[in-house]
Structures are given as structure tokens and as C-alpha cells.
């Protein structure tokens, strides 16, 4: 989305890491408290940022403290100086979920758990903060802790795999929602500029070949 839709920013907020943002980090505020600060300043922007997305929270606060402008008032605009065709590739839901489930199993079999066990503490802390799917669950599993679902008993390997698979499927579903909305937004701006293409139903190569042929014909 950031490739297609650019925010017209004031010169004072060109830098992604201004002194204001650095001060926010140096104060050692936790991410939730930063989000609440943003909510008081700009509720409209805060409700669109996940409470654990520290980068975007800091970015929004940086804009406010640097300029006094509410981040929600800076609306992105379509700004592409060339013709384009956006192709969103997807698969039918059952096939997609099957691929995800098998991939998690293969990653575990390839040594994912041992990889996490061998990380130093700085990486462990980083992964816990970022909540990258699978890592917090494996860290907890390796430490012999409780399950991510609040089960008081120690989680089994089978349960660990199931939790990671489910969270990955949930993430894939959110990705689908995001890209389908982007396809709709682009088509509302420029008719037929974006398309969703299902790889389960047919090969994308044929579609791209047809696009190239049609573009060649139109340029003649």
C-alpha cells in the first residue's frame, strides 16, 4: 500500500527517526503506554494501529510532537507516475491452509525448536516483543512453560504445532482481507488496474501471457 499511496508530509517530519522518536525509546516506555498516549492525542489514528505495533505508534507520535499535526489528518493519496497492473495471487482456502499446516511441520522437523534454543537472550527478548508467529510459543515450550492458550499443563509438541498452525492460518486470513481491500481501492481509483488471481484454479503464467499480448496490441 505504501508503494501506491504516499503521505504528503511536512518537511519537519521527513526523518523516520527524529530526536522525538529517539527520546520516546530512551524513556523506556512500554508499547501499550505509548499507544494510550497516542489514543489521547489522536483516537482516529490509534484505533487503526495494533496496540503492539511499536514502530507505527512511535511514527504517529513523532509526527504529532514534531509538527502539532494529527497523523490521521495526513491522508495518503494514489501517486504512481506509470501504468501498472497489480496482481494479487491467492489460493482456495482449503489448499492454502493445507500448505500452511504442512509448512509448520516441515519447519519443526528441520530444527526450528533447536534454532530457538540456541539463540542468545537478546534475540529471545526481541522475538518476545515482536511476537513473530511461532517464536514466542517455541520459547515457552522450550522453557517447559504453560501453553499460549492458558492451559495450566505443559504444552505437548503436538499442541505446540497446532497452536502455530492456527495462528499462521489466522494471519493468512488477515493478509487476504488486506490485499482484497487494496485490489478494490486500486480499481476504484483506476478501473481494471488490479486483479485477484487464484492459483488453485489455473496457472498465472497464462494470465500474464495474455496481459502482455493485449498490451502489445494496444501499443501498435
Amino acid at each position: 500500500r505504501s508503494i501506491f499511496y504516499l503521505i504528503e508530509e511536512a518537511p519537519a517530519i521527513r526523518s523516520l527517526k527524529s530526536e522525538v522518536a529517539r527520546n520516546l525509546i530512551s524513556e523506556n516506555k512500554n508499547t501499550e503506554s505509548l499507544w494510550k498516549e497516542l489514543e489521547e492525542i489522536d483516537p482516529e489514528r490509534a484505533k487503526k494501529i495494533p496496540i503492539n505495533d511499536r514502530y507505527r505508534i512511535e511514527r504517529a507520535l513523532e509526527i504529532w510532537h514534531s509538527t502539532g499535526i494529527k497523523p490521521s489528518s495526513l491522508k495518503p493519496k494514489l501517486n504512481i507516475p506509470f501504468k501498472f497492473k497489480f496482481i494479487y495471487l491467492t489460493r482456495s482456502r482449503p489448499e492454502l491452509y493445507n500448505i500452511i499446516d504442512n509448512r509448520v511441520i516441515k519447519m519443526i522437523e528441520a530444527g526450528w525448536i533447536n534454532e530457538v534454543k540456541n539463540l542468545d537472550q537478546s534475540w529471545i527478548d526481541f522475538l518476545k516483543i515482536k511476537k513473530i508467529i511461532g517464536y514466542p510459543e517455541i520459547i515457552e515450550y522450550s522453557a517447559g512453560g504453560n501453553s499460549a492458550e492458558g492451559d495450566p499443563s505443559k504444552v505437548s509438541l503436538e499442541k505446540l504445532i497446532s497452536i502455530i498452525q492456527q495462528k499462521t492460518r489466522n494471519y493468512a486470513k488477515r493478509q487476504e482481507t488486506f490485499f482484497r481491500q487494496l485490489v478494490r481501492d486500486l480499481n476504484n481509483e483506476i478501473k481494471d488496474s488490479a486483479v485477484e488471481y487464484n492459483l488453485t484454479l489455473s496457472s498465472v503464467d497464462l494470465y500474464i501471457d495474455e496481459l502482455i499480448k493485449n498490451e502489445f496490441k494496444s501499443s501498435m
Side-chain angles (χ1 to χ4, degrees):
R1 180 170 289 274
S2 63
I3 291 174
F4 294 103
Y5 293 90
L6 304 179
I7 294 178
E8 296 180 358
E9 297 181 336
I13 55 174
R14 297 293 184 193
S15 171
L16 288 176
K17 289 294 180 185
S18 68
E19 183 179 352
V20 172
R22 287 194 293 271
N23 288 339
L24 287 170
I25 297 171
S26 66
E27 290 176 10
N28 293 321
K29 291 183 179 178
N30 63 47
T31 305
E32 184 176 350
S33 67
L34 290 177
W35 185 89
K36 288 179 179 178
E37 181 181 339
L38 176 61
E39 186 183 33
E40 292 179 2
I41 296 168
D42 190 350
E44 183 181 347
R45 182 65 184 126
K47 71 180 182 181
K48 293 181 180 179
I49 303 178
I51 199 168
N52 62 345
D53 190 340
R54 190 178 182 92
Y55 173 81
R56 286 181 174 82
I57 294 168
E58 287 181 350
R59 179 65 174 142
L61 288 171
E62 176 192 356
I63 292 171
W64 168 255
H65 289 297
S66 299
T67 67
I69 299 172
K70 288 186 177 182
S72 60
S73 67
L74 298 171
K75 303 296 183 182
K77 297 181 180 180
L78 185 69
N79 186 10
I80 299 294
F82 47 80
K83 291 177 65 178
F84 69 90
K85 189 75 170 184
F86 180 82
I87 306 172
Y88 163 49
L89 301 179
T90 186
R91 296 180 185 273
S92 297
R93 190 68 62 80
E95 183 186 13
L96 177 60
Y97 283 3
N98 185 57
I99 290 171
I100 288 171
D101 289 347
N102 288 332
R103 178 174 176 270
V104 172
I105 292 171
K106 287 179 180 178
M107 290 172 72
I108 293 291
E109 291 176 344
W112 193 6
I113 293 174
N114 285 333
E115 172 200 321
V116 175
K117 285 181 178 179
N118 290 326
L119 293 173
D120 61 36
Q121 191 59 44
S122 62
W123 273 107
I124 295 293
D125 294 340
F126 171 81
L127 292 166
K128 284 181 177 179
I129 292 171
K130 291 299 182 180
K131 297 182 179 179
I132 299 171
I133 294 174
Y135 283 93
E137 291 77 22
I138 293 176
I139 291 168
E140 190 174 24
Y141 169 82
S142 299
N146 298 335
S147 77
E149 307 304 315
D151 187 342
S153 62
K154 291 182 179 179
V155 89
S156 65
L157 178 59
E158 182 180 352
K159 180 65 174 177
L160 172 69
I161 291 172
S162 177
I163 291 170
I164 297 174
Q165 288 171 332
Q166 182 62 59
K167 289 190 174 184
T168 308
R169 293 195 299 268
N170 292 344
Y171 182 63
K173 189 175 180 180
R174 293 196 298 274
Q175 286 180 319
E176 285 185 322
T177 300
F178 171 84
F179 279 109
R180 283 174 178 152
Q181 183 60 54
L182 180 57
V183 168
R184 287 192 292 269
D185 290 347
L186 291 173
N187 283 331
N188 285 336
E189 298 272 5
I190 304 174
K191 186 179 179 182
D192 297 328
S193 62
V195 64
E196 177 181 335
Y197 200 84
N198 193 316
L199 293 174
T200 302
L201 303 179
S202 56
S203 168
V204 71
D205 293 338
L206 297 176
Y207 178 76
I208 292 176
D209 287 344
E210 190 65 26
L211 277 179
I212 294 172
K213 289 177 183 176
N214 291 336
E215 183 64 26
F216 178 75
K217 289 178 183 178
S218 64
S219 63
M220 291 182 66

